[in-house]
Amino acid sequence: MALSKKGSRRITVDGIEYRWRIRRKPSYMQGLCWMPMTYAVEAASGSQPGATLIVTSGQAHPSNWVGAEAVPIRPAHVAASIREARDRGWEPTKAGSPFQLDRSARSIAQP
């Protein structure tokens, strides 16, 4: 499934261009802070969409309903997630099921 271009941001990691997007509205579970925020990443080039990377961030969604503090996801965090996923076997140009990367156990360091 291709990532919607509307609302996505571009990032270049190691010479490869990607698009990433955070869901604008939280899911029910994210709104209540029962689940951390996730974001999706895919390769921006190519005629056919490849496997999407789904990253679980460990942060509350900024639009959560309980007023929990939310730390923004910065491009440096996205780049680190892309590198880690590729090291673990994510192939962004090959079609397939979404690749799940759970970073919720780690705190995201502020640059």
Side-chain angles (χ1 to χ4, degrees):
M1 181 173 171
L3 188 65
S4 172
K5 289 184 182 182
K6 185 175 182 179
S8 67
R9 298 182 64 187
R10 289 187 176 267
I11 186 170
T12 302
V13 179
D14 302 330
I16 302 171
E17 196 167 345
Y18 299 91
R19 285 190 322 217
W20 64 283
R21 185 176 191 277
I22 297 174
R23 183 179 169 156
R24 175 170 278 170
K25 293 181 181 181
S27 68
Y28 182 79
M29 301 288 272
Q30 292 171 345
L32 293 173
C33 294
W34 293 347
M35 287 185 63
M37 178 174 50
T38 59
Y39 58 92
V41 181
E42 73 175 9
S45 60
S47 59
Q48 297 284 44
T52 303
L53 169 64
I54 306 296
V55 181
T56 303
S57 69
Q59 305 294 332
H61 194 286
S63 298
N64 70 73
W65 308 324
V66 296
E69 184 178 346
V71 177
I73 300 296
R74 300 187 187 277
H77 304 143
V78 176
S81 296
I82 290 169
R83 287 185 182 106
E84 182 179 346
R86 285 193 324 224
D87 290 345
R88 291 183 180 207
W90 176 50
E91 296 183 47
T93 56
K94 286 192 175 181
S97 299
F99 188 90
Q100 302 285 331
L101 178 65
D102 189 354
R103 296 186 61 136
S104 63
R106 301 176 210 94
S107 62
I108 297 177
Q110 293 298 312

XYZ file of all heavy atoms in Angstrom:
856
model
N 0.840 -1.176 0.000
C 0.000 0.000 0.000
C 0.884 1.238 0.000
O 1.821 1.345 0.783
C -0.879 -0.023 1.241
C -1.811 1.133 1.330
S -2.910 0.840 2.722
C -3.685 2.402 2.780
N 0.593 2.158 -0.872
C 1.414 3.361 -0.997
C 1.018 4.394 0.052
O -0.136 4.526 0.428
C 1.244 3.952 -2.386
N 2.006 5.125 0.482
C 1.821 6.197 1.454
C 1.252 7.414 0.741
O 1.716 7.777 -0.337
C 3.181 6.525 2.071
C 3.259 7.473 3.231
C 2.553 6.892 4.437
C 4.712 7.731 3.578
N 0.274 8.040 1.319
C -0.326 9.227 0.716
C 0.703 10.348 0.625
O 1.429 10.618 1.583
C -1.510 9.692 1.573
O -1.986 10.925 1.133
N 0.777 10.995 -0.522
C 1.730 12.090 -0.686
C 1.300 13.318 0.105
O 2.134 14.082 0.570
C 1.874 12.445 -2.162
C 2.605 11.396 -2.956
C 2.797 11.829 -4.385
C 3.497 10.729 -5.167
N 3.744 11.109 -6.540
N 0.002 13.485 0.262
C -0.499 14.639 1.005
C -0.137 14.490 2.484
O -0.458 13.496 3.125
C -2.006 14.752 0.847
C -2.576 15.990 1.493
C -4.048 16.136 1.211
C -4.553 17.409 1.850
N -5.981 17.603 1.573
N 0.546 15.470 2.999
C 0.926 15.456 4.407
C 2.221 14.727 4.705
O 2.649 14.681 5.849
N 2.842 14.142 3.689
C 4.097 13.427 3.936
C 5.273 14.380 3.775
O 5.178 15.415 3.126
C 4.236 12.223 2.996
O 4.380 12.644 1.667
N 6.375 14.021 4.387
C 7.605 14.812 4.305
C 8.678 13.970 3.646
O 8.718 12.755 3.804
C 8.048 15.221 5.710
C 7.023 16.093 6.406
C 7.486 16.526 7.754
N 8.668 17.376 7.604
C 9.390 17.810 8.627
N 9.067 17.483 9.849
N 10.437 18.573 8.430
N 9.573 14.633 2.950
C 10.684 13.939 2.298
C 11.924 13.992 3.186
O 12.147 14.962 3.903
C 10.995 14.577 0.951
C 9.927 14.304 -0.077
C 10.366 14.811 -1.441
N 9.399 14.467 -2.448
C 9.450 13.378 -3.197
N 10.427 12.535 -3.067
N 8.521 13.144 -4.098
N 12.698 12.913 3.090
C 13.967 12.842 3.815
C 14.921 12.009 2.968
O 14.499 11.034 2.342
C 13.791 12.243 5.225
C 15.087 12.310 6.019
C 13.253 10.832 5.163
C 14.934 11.965 7.491
N 16.179 12.400 2.934
C 17.202 11.642 2.217
C 18.134 11.014 3.246
O 18.686 11.713 4.087
C 17.995 12.550 1.257
O 17.072 13.154 0.355
C 19.023 11.763 0.479
N 18.264 9.702 3.172
C 19.129 8.959 4.090
C 20.090 8.142 3.258
O 19.667 7.299 2.465
C 18.301 8.039 5.011
C 19.209 7.245 5.937
C 17.289 8.844 5.806
N 21.380 8.402 3.424
C 22.430 7.680 2.702
C 22.198 7.702 1.195
O 22.371 6.697 0.501
C 22.549 6.241 3.211
C 22.851 6.177 4.698
O 23.503 7.100 5.213
O 22.416 5.202 5.354
N 21.761 8.843 0.674
C 21.582 9.020 -0.760
C 20.283 8.498 -1.328
O 20.048 8.590 -2.528
N 19.413 7.942 -0.513
C 18.127 7.417 -0.970
C 17.020 8.307 -0.410
O 17.025 8.632 0.771
C 17.916 5.956 -0.523
C 19.050 5.076 -1.044
C 16.566 5.436 -0.988
C 19.063 3.683 -0.481
N 16.081 8.668 -1.266
C 15.001 9.552 -0.852
C 13.800 8.737 -0.372
O 13.393 7.769 -1.009
C 14.592 10.455 -2.010
C 13.765 11.619 -1.562
C 13.633 12.669 -2.640
O 14.395 12.649 -3.616
O 12.735 13.516 -2.493
N 13.253 9.157 0.767
C 12.097 8.506 1.381
C 11.028 9.557 1.657
O 11.301 10.753 1.673
C 12.478 7.860 2.724
C 13.515 6.790 2.625
C 14.861 7.098 2.749
C 13.163 5.469 2.407
C 15.831 6.109 2.659
C 14.120 4.480 2.318
C 15.452 4.806 2.449
O 16.406 3.840 2.360
N 9.814 9.071 1.891
C 8.736 9.913 2.399
C 8.280 9.318 3.716
O 8.211 8.095 3.861
C 7.553 9.934 1.434
C 7.782 10.763 0.221
C 6.518 10.930 -0.544
N 5.762 9.680 -0.504
C 5.049 9.203 -1.492
N 4.946 9.864 -2.585
N 4.416 8.064 -1.393
N 7.935 10.187 4.669
C 7.427 9.706 5.947
C 6.235 10.547 6.365
O 6.094 11.698 5.960
C 8.504 9.677 7.014
C 9.095 11.014 7.403
C 10.007 11.747 6.707
C 8.826 11.751 8.587
N 10.322 12.894 7.387
C 9.611 12.927 8.544
C 8.005 11.534 9.684
C 9.590 13.871 9.560
C 7.996 12.490 10.702
C 8.780 13.632 10.632
N 5.370 9.942 7.167
C 4.139 10.620 7.543
C 3.655 10.112 8.890
O 3.674 8.920 9.155
C 3.078 10.354 6.478
C 1.788 11.091 6.680
C 0.862 10.814 5.497
N -0.283 11.685 5.494
C -1.380 11.465 6.196
N -1.482 10.402 6.954
N -2.388 12.305 6.133
N 3.213 11.066 9.696
C 2.550 10.761 10.966
C 1.063 10.992 10.756
O 0.667 11.991 10.144
C 3.069 11.667 12.100
C 4.547 11.404 12.340
C 2.260 11.454 13.374
C 5.195 12.344 13.334
N 0.268 10.087 11.239
C -1.182 10.226 11.122
C -1.625 11.503 11.824
O -1.254 11.764 12.970
C -1.834 9.001 11.756
C -3.302 8.968 11.650
C -3.838 7.697 12.281
N -5.278 7.799 12.405
C -6.081 6.782 12.471
N -5.590 5.568 12.451
N -7.376 6.947 12.578
N -2.428 12.305 11.137
C -2.857 13.596 11.679
C -3.678 13.441 12.959
O -3.441 14.122 13.944
C -3.667 14.366 10.641
C -4.240 15.667 11.185
C -4.806 16.502 10.113
N -3.678 17.212 9.520
C -3.734 17.918 8.423
N -4.856 18.011 7.768
N -2.686 18.518 7.965
N -4.667 12.564 12.923
C -5.505 12.334 14.095
C -5.064 11.039 14.764
O -4.768 10.056 14.090
C -6.975 12.215 13.690
C -7.555 13.501 13.160
C -9.013 13.310 12.805
C -9.602 14.578 12.239
N -11.019 14.394 11.912
N -5.043 11.013 16.080
C -4.645 9.765 16.744
C -5.724 8.702 16.605
O -6.911 9.012 16.487
C -4.485 10.185 18.209
C -5.417 11.343 18.370
C -5.390 12.062 17.044
N -5.297 7.455 16.613
C -6.268 6.367 16.687
C -6.887 6.409 18.085
O -6.416 7.131 18.970
C -5.585 5.021 16.444
O -4.711 4.725 17.519
N -7.928 5.642 18.302
C -8.576 5.623 19.615
C -7.570 5.250 20.708
O -7.502 5.903 21.750
C -9.745 4.632 19.598
C -10.508 4.584 20.895
C -11.450 5.561 21.208
C -10.292 3.568 21.812
C -12.153 5.518 22.391
C -10.991 3.513 23.003
C -11.921 4.489 23.300
O -12.604 4.452 24.480
N -6.767 4.226 20.441
C -5.785 3.753 21.426
C -4.696 4.802 21.669
O -4.218 4.967 22.782
C -5.158 2.442 20.955
C -6.157 1.332 20.737
S -6.812 0.697 22.266
C -5.608 -0.533 22.612
N -4.287 5.515 20.610
C -3.276 6.565 20.759
C -3.864 7.782 21.452
O -3.176 8.455 22.224
C -2.721 6.968 19.393
C -1.902 5.894 18.737
C -1.554 6.241 17.297
O -2.128 7.137 16.699
N -0.609 5.499 16.744
N -5.127 8.090 21.186
C -5.777 9.234 21.815
C -5.861 9.098 23.319
O -5.774 10.080 24.059
N -6.014 7.871 23.799
C -6.068 7.606 25.237
C -4.696 7.263 25.822
O -4.593 6.938 26.997
C -7.047 6.467 25.517
C -8.510 6.803 25.224
C -9.384 5.568 25.360
C -8.995 7.903 26.152
N -3.660 7.318 24.992
C -2.278 6.999 25.386
C -2.112 5.555 25.829
O -1.272 5.241 26.669
C -1.772 7.973 26.455
S -1.607 9.654 25.847
N -2.923 4.677 25.274
C -2.768 3.248 25.538
C -1.744 2.638 24.596
O -1.225 1.557 24.857
C -4.103 2.523 25.382
C -5.121 2.894 26.423
C -4.895 3.582 27.591
C -6.517 2.617 26.381
N -6.062 3.739 28.265
C -7.086 3.155 27.553
C -7.336 1.983 25.476
C -8.438 3.060 27.840
C -8.685 1.886 25.759
C -9.221 2.419 26.933
N -1.491 3.304 23.485
C -0.489 2.876 22.519
C 0.325 4.089 22.105
O -0.216 5.198 22.021
C -1.141 2.278 21.261
C -1.743 0.913 21.466
S -2.355 0.223 19.904
C -0.858 0.101 18.969
N 1.614 3.895 21.824
C 2.436 5.032 21.384
C 2.148 5.404 19.926
O 1.543 4.644 19.182
C 3.865 4.526 21.546
C 3.757 3.046 21.491
C 2.405 2.688 22.011
N 2.614 6.574 19.556
C 2.448 7.070 18.198
C 3.276 6.232 17.232
O 4.362 5.769 17.568
C 2.905 8.528 18.139
C 2.836 9.143 16.774
S 3.224 10.893 16.742
C 4.744 10.988 17.633
N 2.753 6.063 16.025
C 3.474 5.374 14.963
C 3.579 6.308 13.761
O 2.804 7.253 13.639
C 2.753 4.085 14.525
O 1.448 4.412 14.068
C 2.675 3.077 15.659
N 4.562 6.024 12.918
C 4.661 6.748 11.650
C 5.102 5.776 10.574
O 5.657 4.717 10.860
C 5.577 7.975 11.741
C 6.999 7.724 12.162
C 7.993 7.491 11.227
C 7.351 7.766 13.501
C 9.308 7.293 11.617
C 8.657 7.570 13.905
C 9.632 7.338 12.957
O 10.930 7.132 13.354
N 4.799 6.143 9.337
C 5.083 5.279 8.197
C 6.152 5.907 7.314
O 6.221 7.124 7.171
C 3.810 5.056 7.385
N 6.982 5.049 6.715
C 8.067 5.478 5.830
C 8.046 4.585 4.596
O 7.790 3.383 4.704
C 9.444 5.335 6.520
C 10.563 5.803 5.603
C 9.484 6.047 7.851
N 8.313 5.174 3.428
C 8.475 4.388 2.207
C 9.476 5.073 1.298
O 9.738 6.273 1.436
C 7.148 4.186 1.485
C 6.625 5.399 0.789
C 5.371 5.129 -0.017
O 4.799 4.029 0.082
O 4.962 6.028 -0.747
N 10.027 4.318 0.370
C 10.941 4.883 -0.629
C 10.145 5.819 -1.525
O 9.035 5.501 -1.937
C 11.596 3.780 -1.440
N 10.709 6.987 -1.831
C 9.992 7.992 -2.624
C 10.136 7.769 -4.116
O 9.334 8.267 -4.889
C 10.485 9.391 -2.259
N 11.143 7.041 -4.534
C 11.358 6.840 -5.968
C 10.835 5.477 -6.391
O 10.575 4.611 -5.573
C 12.843 6.953 -6.290
O 13.556 5.973 -5.577
N 10.702 5.321 -7.672
C 10.247 4.038 -8.208
C 8.804 4.120 -8.667
O 7.994 4.849 -8.103
N 8.480 3.344 -9.684
C 7.126 3.370 -10.213
C 6.179 2.522 -9.378
O 4.992 2.809 -9.305
C 7.130 2.872 -11.658
O 7.638 1.555 -11.709
N 6.687 1.482 -8.756
C 5.881 0.616 -7.910
C 6.229 0.857 -6.447
O 7.405 0.931 -6.097
C 6.125 -0.857 -8.247
C 5.718 -1.230 -9.638
C 4.208 -1.348 -9.756
O 3.452 -0.526 -9.263
N 3.778 -2.392 -10.436
N 5.231 0.953 -5.575
C 5.541 1.120 -4.154
C 6.147 -0.158 -3.577
O 5.747 -1.262 -3.929
C 4.193 1.426 -3.524
C 3.183 0.880 -4.469
C 3.804 0.949 -5.833
N 7.125 0.018 -2.717
C 7.748 -1.118 -2.048
C 7.102 -1.355 -0.701
O 6.006 -0.873 -0.419
N 7.790 -2.084 0.150
C 7.290 -2.367 1.488
C 7.354 -1.107 2.339
O 8.340 -0.378 2.325
C 8.109 -3.479 2.130
N 6.300 -0.858 3.075
C 6.227 0.293 3.966
C 6.847 -0.075 5.304
O 6.672 -1.187 5.796
C 4.755 0.714 4.171
O 4.185 0.994 2.891
C 4.646 1.943 5.042
N 7.551 0.876 5.892
C 8.110 0.716 7.236
C 7.152 1.380 8.215
O 6.784 2.549 8.038
C 9.488 1.379 7.303
C 10.114 1.541 8.688
C 10.381 0.179 9.323
C 11.394 2.350 8.582
N 6.732 0.655 9.245
C 5.877 1.195 10.293
C 6.707 1.238 11.571
O 7.148 0.207 12.072
C 4.621 0.320 10.534
C 3.862 0.098 9.229
C 3.737 0.935 11.611
C 3.289 1.347 8.615
N 6.936 2.456 12.088
C 7.777 2.646 13.265
C 6.904 3.003 14.459
O 6.129 3.966 14.404
C 8.818 3.760 13.030
C 9.698 3.933 14.256
C 9.659 3.464 11.804
N 7.017 2.238 15.534
C 6.367 2.558 16.794
C 7.360 3.383 17.589
O 8.445 2.910 17.923
C 5.991 1.278 17.557
O 5.165 0.479 16.714
C 5.264 1.593 18.846
N 6.989 4.622 17.890
C 7.958 5.594 18.386
C 8.228 5.556 19.885
O 9.287 5.953 20.316
C 7.495 7.000 18.019
O 6.341 7.334 18.765
N 7.258 5.206 20.680
C 7.437 5.296 22.123
C 7.013 6.641 22.684
O 7.132 6.882 23.877
N 6.501 7.507 21.835
C 6.054 8.839 22.243
C 4.531 8.904 22.172
O 3.910 8.210 21.373
C 6.632 9.919 21.313
C 8.124 9.902 21.180
C 8.814 10.264 22.481
O 8.279 10.981 23.305
N 10.005 9.750 22.666
N 3.947 9.786 22.972
C 2.506 10.023 22.888
C 2.203 10.828 21.627
O 3.013 11.640 21.188
C 2.037 10.792 24.118
N 1.048 10.583 21.043
C 0.627 11.363 19.874
C 0.370 12.803 20.333
O -0.222 13.023 21.393
C -0.643 10.757 19.269
C -0.953 11.274 17.908
N -1.458 12.525 17.687
C -0.814 10.706 16.684
C -1.628 12.714 16.404
N -1.245 11.610 15.758
N 0.811 13.808 19.560
C 0.629 15.201 19.979
C -0.831 15.598 20.171
O -1.128 16.500 20.955
C 1.239 16.017 18.837
C 2.045 15.077 18.039
C 1.553 13.699 18.318
N -1.756 14.917 19.512
C -3.177 15.247 19.640
C -3.907 14.277 20.563
O -5.100 14.046 20.400
C -3.838 15.244 18.251
O -3.254 16.218 17.425
N -3.195 13.732 21.547
C -3.849 12.792 22.462
C -4.910 13.529 23.278
O -4.882 14.743 23.419
C -2.826 12.069 23.338
C -2.172 12.977 24.355
O -2.771 13.372 25.333
N -0.909 13.330 24.096
N -5.836 12.775 23.822
C -7.004 13.358 24.480
C -6.832 13.526 25.976
O -7.693 14.103 26.638
C -8.231 12.494 24.219
C -8.454 12.207 22.774
C -8.225 13.057 21.722
C -8.929 11.010 22.206
N -8.532 12.454 20.543
C -8.980 11.177 20.806
C -9.335 9.794 22.728
C -9.411 10.197 19.939
C -9.767 8.810 21.865
C -9.797 9.013 20.482
N -5.746 13.021 26.537
C -5.578 13.085 27.985
C -4.553 14.124 28.419
O -4.258 14.247 29.603
C -5.220 11.693 28.563
C -6.363 10.715 28.351
C -3.947 11.157 27.963
N -4.012 14.862 27.479
C -3.067 15.931 27.808
C -1.663 15.462 28.137
O -0.902 16.201 28.762
N -1.306 14.245 27.722
C 0.045 13.753 27.975
C 1.045 14.546 27.131
O 0.750 14.932 26.000
C 0.148 12.269 27.632
N 2.209 14.781 27.701
C 3.244 15.526 26.983
C 3.727 14.712 25.787
O 3.971 13.523 25.886
C 4.417 15.812 27.906
C 5.478 16.669 27.262
C 6.627 16.977 28.212
O 6.489 16.753 29.411
O 7.656 17.439 27.715
N 3.862 15.392 24.663
C 4.314 14.744 23.439
C 5.613 15.386 22.971
O 5.718 16.600 22.912
C 3.261 14.867 22.359
N 6.588 14.553 22.675
C 7.871 15.015 22.153
C 7.806 14.876 20.632
O 7.413 13.821 20.130
C 9.032 14.170 22.719
C 10.359 14.606 22.132
C 9.048 14.260 24.237
N 8.166 15.900 19.889
C 8.067 15.797 18.431
C 9.039 14.767 17.848
O 10.127 14.555 18.364
C 8.412 17.206 17.932
C 9.122 17.862 19.052
C 8.665 17.210 20.317
N 8.602 14.155 16.770
C 9.466 13.243 16.009
C 10.226 14.109 15.015
O 9.634 14.768 14.175
C 8.645 12.172 15.267
C 7.827 11.339 16.251
C 9.549 11.293 14.411
C 8.657 10.525 17.222
N 11.527 14.094 15.112
C 12.363 14.936 14.257
C 12.954 14.097 13.112
O 13.034 12.870 13.205
C 13.478 15.554 15.085
C 12.939 16.415 16.218
C 14.062 17.144 16.912
N 13.605 17.826 18.084
C 13.030 19.030 18.087
N 12.849 19.657 16.953
N 12.651 19.591 19.213
N 13.372 14.766 12.050
C 13.964 14.025 10.927
C 15.153 13.150 11.334
O 15.348 12.077 10.756
C 14.383 15.137 9.961
C 13.396 16.224 10.221
C 13.167 16.181 11.716
N 15.929 13.573 12.323
C 17.053 12.746 12.785
C 16.555 11.417 13.352
O 17.195 10.377 13.166
C 17.864 13.493 13.832
N 15.401 11.432 14.026
C 14.831 10.193 14.564
C 14.365 9.286 13.432
O 14.554 8.069 13.481
C 13.650 10.495 15.481
C 13.980 11.430 16.602
N 13.104 12.375 17.046
C 15.092 11.582 17.352
C 13.653 13.066 18.019
N 14.867 12.606 18.231
N 13.763 9.899 12.416
C 13.288 9.126 11.268
C 14.471 8.494 10.541
O 14.433 7.306 10.194
C 12.453 10.010 10.321
C 12.035 9.225 9.086
C 11.236 10.569 11.040
N 15.536 9.260 10.338
C 16.724 8.737 9.658
C 17.326 7.571 10.441
O 17.705 6.550 9.853
C 17.758 9.839 9.472
N 17.398 7.692 11.755
C 17.927 6.601 12.589
C 17.048 5.360 12.485
O 17.551 4.231 12.428
C 18.057 7.058 14.036
N 15.742 5.550 12.429
C 14.823 4.419 12.298
C 14.987 3.733 10.948
O 14.952 2.507 10.857
C 13.377 4.891 12.458
O 13.157 5.405 13.744
N 15.161 4.525 9.891
C 15.359 3.956 8.552
C 16.632 3.121 8.515
O 16.634 1.992 8.012
C 15.398 5.076 7.493
C 14.006 5.695 7.340
C 15.920 4.552 6.157
C 13.971 6.968 6.514
N 17.706 3.648 9.075
C 18.981 2.897 9.083
C 18.852 1.601 9.880
O 19.334 0.550 9.464
C 20.091 3.775 9.653
C 20.524 4.861 8.705
C 21.705 5.651 9.248
N 22.050 6.715 8.331
C 21.790 8.003 8.541
N 21.202 8.393 9.665
N 22.112 8.916 7.643
N 18.193 1.673 11.038
C 18.016 0.473 11.857
C 17.159 -0.563 11.142
O 17.474 -1.759 11.155
C 17.378 0.840 13.204
C 17.205 -0.345 14.115
C 16.606 0.012 15.463
O 16.556 1.193 15.825
O 16.186 -0.934 16.160
N 16.100 -0.117 10.497
C 15.222 -1.049 9.778
C 15.955 -1.713 8.621
O 15.796 -2.918 8.389
C 13.985 -0.316 9.277
N 16.743 -0.939 7.890
C 17.517 -1.541 6.793
C 18.514 -2.556 7.326
O 18.721 -3.604 6.721
C 18.229 -0.455 5.990
C 17.307 0.322 5.091
C 18.034 1.165 4.083
N 19.266 1.732 4.609
C 19.670 2.986 4.425
N 18.941 3.812 3.717
N 20.797 3.410 4.933
N 19.139 -2.260 8.474
C 20.066 -3.217 9.087
C 19.357 -4.492 9.506
O 19.956 -5.561 9.529
C 20.759 -2.597 10.304
C 21.763 -1.516 9.925
O 22.142 -1.432 8.736
O 22.159 -0.743 10.836
N 18.072 -4.394 9.846
C 17.296 -5.557 10.286
C 16.606 -6.286 9.139
O 15.859 -7.226 9.379
C 16.262 -5.129 11.315
C 16.872 -4.702 12.613
C 15.812 -4.356 13.596
N 16.405 -3.953 14.858
C 15.793 -4.087 16.009
N 14.582 -4.601 16.066
N 16.389 -3.683 17.111
N 16.815 -5.800 7.903
C 16.289 -6.540 6.771
C 15.192 -5.869 5.971
O 14.659 -6.471 5.028
N 14.805 -4.651 6.298
C 13.787 -3.954 5.507
C 14.361 -3.608 4.145
O 15.435 -3.032 4.037
C 13.325 -2.700 6.231
C 12.335 -1.870 5.452
C 11.199 -2.309 4.848
C 12.407 -0.461 5.210
N 10.546 -1.252 4.250
C 11.273 -0.104 4.457
C 13.304 0.529 5.554
C 11.018 1.193 4.043
C 13.062 1.818 5.154
C 11.924 2.145 4.410
N 13.648 -3.978 3.103
C 14.046 -3.652 1.735
C 12.969 -2.731 1.163
O 11.921 -3.196 0.705
C 14.178 -4.929 0.910
C 15.288 -5.829 1.438
C 15.477 -7.066 0.595
O 15.527 -6.933 -0.642
O 15.549 -8.155 1.177
N 13.222 -1.418 1.184
C 12.185 -0.456 0.825
C 11.728 -0.488 -0.630
O 10.656 0.001 -0.943
C 12.816 0.899 1.155
C 14.273 0.657 1.195
C 14.470 -0.767 1.576
N 12.506 -1.079 -1.512
C 12.120 -1.100 -2.929
C 11.429 -2.391 -3.343
O 10.892 -2.468 -4.443
C 13.352 -0.883 -3.825
O 14.331 -1.877 -3.515
C 13.942 0.506 -3.613
N 11.409 -3.401 -2.490
C 10.749 -4.665 -2.809
C 9.339 -4.667 -2.235
O 9.125 -4.299 -1.089
C 11.524 -5.842 -2.231
C 12.790 -6.155 -2.983
C 13.336 -7.481 -2.553
C 14.547 -7.850 -3.388
N 15.086 -9.135 -3.002
N 8.402 -5.104 -3.053
C 7.015 -5.197 -2.596
C 6.907 -6.265 -1.507
O 7.650 -7.239 -1.501
C 6.106 -5.541 -3.763
N 6.005 -6.035 -0.600
C 5.796 -7.002 0.462
C 4.980 -6.418 1.596
O 4.497 -5.286 1.519
N 4.854 -7.196 2.631
C 4.111 -6.763 3.811
C 4.843 -5.622 4.510
O 6.066 -5.508 4.397
C 3.971 -7.926 4.792
O 3.271 -8.979 4.189
N 4.103 -4.798 5.257
C 4.768 -3.734 6.008
C 5.789 -4.294 6.988
O 5.575 -5.344 7.598
C 3.625 -3.051 6.754
C 2.410 -3.362 5.956
C 2.648 -4.730 5.373
N 6.897 -3.599 7.126
C 7.965 -3.992 8.034
C 7.754 -3.215 9.331
O 7.681 -1.988 9.323
C 9.320 -3.648 7.415
C 10.489 -4.174 8.177
C 11.015 -5.421 7.898
C 11.080 -3.422 9.183
C 12.110 -5.914 8.597
C 12.163 -3.901 9.887
C 12.683 -5.157 9.602
N 7.647 -3.913 10.444
C 7.398 -3.296 11.744
C 8.720 -3.077 12.482
O 9.529 -3.995 12.584
C 6.502 -4.196 12.603
C 5.172 -4.527 11.970
C 4.197 -3.375 12.015
O 4.234 -2.543 12.906
N 3.313 -3.330 11.046
N 8.913 -1.863 12.985
C 10.081 -1.546 13.799
C 9.583 -0.917 15.086
O 8.956 0.140 15.070
C 11.021 -0.583 13.073
C 12.264 -0.155 13.856
C 13.183 -1.353 14.116
C 13.016 0.928 13.111
N 9.832 -1.574 16.201
C 9.370 -1.088 17.498
C 10.514 -0.398 18.225
O 11.450 -1.041 18.669
C 8.834 -2.249 18.331
C 8.144 -1.796 19.607
O 8.182 -0.585 19.915
O 7.556 -2.651 20.275
N 10.429 0.906 18.332
C 11.425 1.695 19.056
C 10.858 2.208 20.372
O 11.418 3.100 20.982
C 11.893 2.856 18.197
C 12.607 2.378 16.936
C 13.183 3.516 16.183
N 14.154 4.203 17.013
C 15.343 4.611 16.605
N 15.695 4.417 15.380
N 16.162 5.229 17.416
N 9.753 1.650 20.814
C 9.086 2.145 22.021
C 9.849 1.801 23.292
O 9.675 2.471 24.307
C 7.661 1.617 22.106
O 7.658 0.210 22.211
N 10.688 0.795 23.266
C 11.445 0.421 24.451
C 12.593 1.380 24.714
O 13.121 1.450 25.817
C 11.991 -0.994 24.306
N 12.974 2.149 23.692
C 14.079 3.098 23.838
C 13.519 4.501 23.949
O 12.539 4.841 23.305
C 14.989 3.051 22.606
C 15.581 1.718 22.341
C 16.378 1.828 21.035
N 16.372 0.546 20.379
C 15.530 0.165 19.455
N 14.582 0.956 19.045
N 15.621 -1.019 18.918
N 14.154 5.308 24.727
C 13.766 6.718 24.727
C 14.450 7.387 23.552
O 15.555 7.031 23.186
C 14.167 7.391 26.033
O 15.560 7.359 26.187
N 13.788 8.340 22.970
C 14.354 9.058 21.838
C 15.136 10.239 22.382
O 14.590 11.129 23.030
C 13.266 9.518 20.864
C 12.553 8.294 20.289
C 13.849 10.382 19.768
C 11.421 8.616 19.361
N 16.422 10.246 22.119
C 17.269 11.327 22.621
C 17.004 12.607 21.838
O 16.795 12.563 20.632
C 18.735 10.933 22.474
N 17.011 13.692 22.529
C 16.819 14.983 21.891
C 18.137 15.471 21.308
O 19.150 15.441 22.008
C 16.297 16.012 22.900
C 14.885 15.714 23.392
C 13.890 15.753 22.263
O 13.890 16.678 21.480
N 13.066 14.735 22.168
N 18.132 15.900 20.035
C 19.371 16.401 19.436
C 19.764 17.747 20.007
O 19.029 18.454 20.551
C 19.054 16.500 17.953
C 17.597 16.310 17.799
C 17.052 15.818 19.092
